[in-house]
């Protein structure tokens, strides 16, 4: 099992972080939220053209990079730390669904489009679908069939986190493009990739809290010097590192399944995906709550970015179902 990044993966993370530092500061994130598209189209183009994030999970024969899913997890963690509203998660899920369960014709026709940066989304039949409102390639699992939806009516669904765009799908023509042998794996891959976003948000919350504790003065001392607050931030760090381990383990299991689909790799993916989904959801909820408390009154103002972390925590905790249900899946 892969629990440490390679030098190349560290370089990928550094490259993404550098681009986000230049193109997606707090003002840019807020501007993207208020835009018609709901995300920074220029940033998405830069991520696709300069780094190739949309092509990472697409095999080389379909104009992708043929990287493992671990590399996509690396990028998602950086995007989660930045809180950047981008469509990488739904696009990757759509590409994986086509790559694993789609027909040869579907792979040939659709995967190059997704690798080039066109938007995709995958409806697994649960709550409003992430990315559906903007998708060029809209997929759905209906029973044991993978279908391409054309002419569908999408009703935008407003969530707590304005950096994520959801849509309710109705009507449309369903064109069967593949057979889904095991829907559990798609849900588990969604859990695994979502956990990478959660780990990034945890890191952002901790970084902001530590920085604030070094600046805020109370009773003539910076609040970071008080032992009780040091303990709370240390607990946040423990949650961050444990969540990162769970996320990396789940993403590695997803990569192993995609490399060699089978009952054994599928079962391990389902188990570790549920572990990461439940633990990272709870960890981000806890860290976001602590960050709000340790920032004091400014944390509940629109002007401060910690409220974005808090909203991201609650939105992602519901994306793949609540944590207690995911724990029940592990025990079951």
């Amino acid at each position: 099992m892969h629990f440490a990044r390679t030098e190349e993966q560290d370089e990928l993370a550094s490259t993404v972080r550098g681009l986000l530092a230049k193109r997606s500061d707090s003002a840019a994130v807020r501007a993207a939220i208020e835009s018609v598209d709901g995300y920074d189209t220029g940033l998405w183009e830069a991520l696709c053209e300069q780094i190739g994030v949309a092509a990472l999970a697409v095999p080389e024969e379909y104009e992708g990079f043929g990287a493992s899913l671990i590399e996509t997890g690396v990028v998602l963690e950086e995007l989660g730390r930045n809180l950047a509203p981008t469509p990488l998660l739904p696009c990757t899920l759509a590409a994986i669904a086509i790559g694993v369960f789609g027909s040869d014709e579907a792979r040939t026709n659709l995967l190059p489009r997704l690798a080039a940066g066109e938007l995709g989304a995958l409806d697994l039949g649960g709550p409003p679908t992430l990315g559906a409102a903007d998708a060029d390639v809209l997929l759905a699992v209906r029973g044991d069939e993978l279908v391409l939806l054309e002419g569908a009516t999408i009703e935008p669904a407003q969530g707590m986190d304005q950096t994520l765009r959801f849509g309710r799908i109705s009507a449309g023509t369903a064109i069967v493009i593949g057979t889904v042998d095991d829907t559990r794996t798609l849900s588990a891959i969604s859990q695994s990739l979502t956990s990478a976003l959660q780990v990034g948000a945890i890191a952002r919350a901790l970084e902001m809290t530590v920085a604030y504790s070094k600046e805020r003065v109370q009773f003539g001392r910076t609040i970071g010097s008080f032992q009780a607050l040091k303990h709370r931030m240390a607990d946040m760090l423990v949650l961050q590192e444990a969540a990162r381990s769970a996320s990396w383990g789940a993403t590695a299991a997803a990569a192993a399944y995609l490399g060699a689909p089978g009952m054994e790799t599928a079962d391990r993916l389902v188990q570790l995906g549920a572990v990461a989904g439940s633990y990272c959801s709870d960890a981000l909820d806890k860290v976001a709550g602590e960050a709000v408390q340790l920032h004091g009154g400014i944390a509940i103002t629109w002007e401060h970015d910690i409220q974005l972390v808090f909203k991201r925590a609650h939105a992602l905790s519901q994306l793949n179902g609540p944590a207690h249900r995911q724990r029940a899946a592990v025990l079951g």
Side-chain angles (χ1 to χ4, degrees), residues 5-6 115 162 229 241 244 289 294 302 316:
R5 286 181 178 173
T6 65
Q162 296 99 323
L229 301 192
E241 294 307 305
R244 179 171 284 132
L294 294 174
W302 175 257
L316 292 183

Coordinates of all heavy atoms in Angstrom, one line a residue, residues 5-6 115 162 229 241 244 289 294 302 316:
R5 N 4.4 10.0 -0.6 CA 4.4 10.6 -1.9 C 5.8 10.4 -2.5 O 6.8 10.4 -1.8 CB 4.1 12.1 -1.9 CG 2.7 12.4 -1.7 CD 2.5 13.9 -1.7 NE 1.1 14.3 -1.5 CZ 0.7 15.5 -1.3 NH1 1.6 16.5 -1.3 NH2 -0.6 15.8 -1.2
T6 N 5.9 10.2 -3.8 CA 7.1 10.2 -4.5 C 7.6 11.6 -4.8 O 6.9 12.6 -4.5 CB 6.9 9.5 -5.9 OG1 6.1 10.3 -6.7 CG2 6.4 8.1 -5.7
A115 N -10.4 14.8 -21.2 CA -8.9 15.1 -21.0 C -8.6 16.5 -21.4 O -7.6 17.1 -20.9 CB -8.1 14.1 -21.8
Q162 N -20.8 27.8 -1.4 CA -21.0 28.4 -2.7 C -19.9 28.1 -3.6 O -19.9 28.4 -4.8 CB -21.0 30.0 -2.5 CG -22.2 30.5 -1.7 CD -21.9 30.8 -0.3 OE1 -21.1 30.1 0.3 NE2 -22.5 31.8 0.2
L229 N -4.7 26.7 24.4 CA -4.9 26.9 23.0 C -3.8 26.1 22.2 O -4.1 25.5 21.1 CB -4.8 28.3 22.6 CG -5.9 29.2 23.3 CD1 -5.9 30.6 22.6 CD2 -7.2 28.6 23.3
E241 N -3.2 14.8 10.3 CA -2.3 13.8 9.9 C -3.0 12.4 9.8 O -2.7 11.6 8.9 CB -1.1 13.7 10.8 CG -0.2 14.9 10.8 CD 0.3 15.3 9.4 OE1 0.8 14.4 8.7 OE2 0.0 16.4 9.0
R244 N -5.1 12.6 6.7 CA -4.3 12.4 5.5 C -3.9 11.0 5.2 O -3.9 10.5 4.1 CB -3.0 13.3 5.6 CG -2.1 13.2 4.4 CD -1.0 14.3 4.5 NE -1.5 15.6 4.2 CZ -1.2 16.7 4.9 NH1 -0.5 16.6 6.0 NH2 -1.7 17.8 4.5
G289 N -14.8 23.5 13.2 CA -15.4 24.1 14.4 C -14.4 24.7 15.4 O -14.7 25.8 15.9
L294 N -11.4 29.4 17.8 CA -10.1 30.0 18.0 C -9.9 31.3 17.3 O -9.1 32.1 17.7 CB -9.0 29.0 17.7 CG -9.0 27.8 18.6 CD1 -7.9 26.8 18.1 CD2 -8.7 28.2 20.1
W302 N -18.6 37.5 7.1 CA -18.4 37.2 5.7 C -17.0 37.5 5.2 O -16.5 36.9 4.3 CB -19.5 37.9 4.9 CG -19.4 37.7 3.4 CD1 -18.8 38.6 2.5 CD2 -19.7 36.6 2.7 NE1 -18.9 38.1 1.2 CE2 -19.4 36.8 1.3 CE3 -20.3 35.4 3.0 CZ2 -19.7 35.9 0.3 CZ3 -20.6 34.4 2.0 CH2 -20.2 34.7 0.7
L316 N -19.2 18.9 2.2 CA -18.5 17.7 1.8 C -18.9 16.5 2.7 O -18.9 15.4 2.3 CB -17.0 17.9 1.9 CG -16.4 18.8 0.8 CD1 -14.9 18.8 1.0 CD2 -16.8 18.4 -0.6

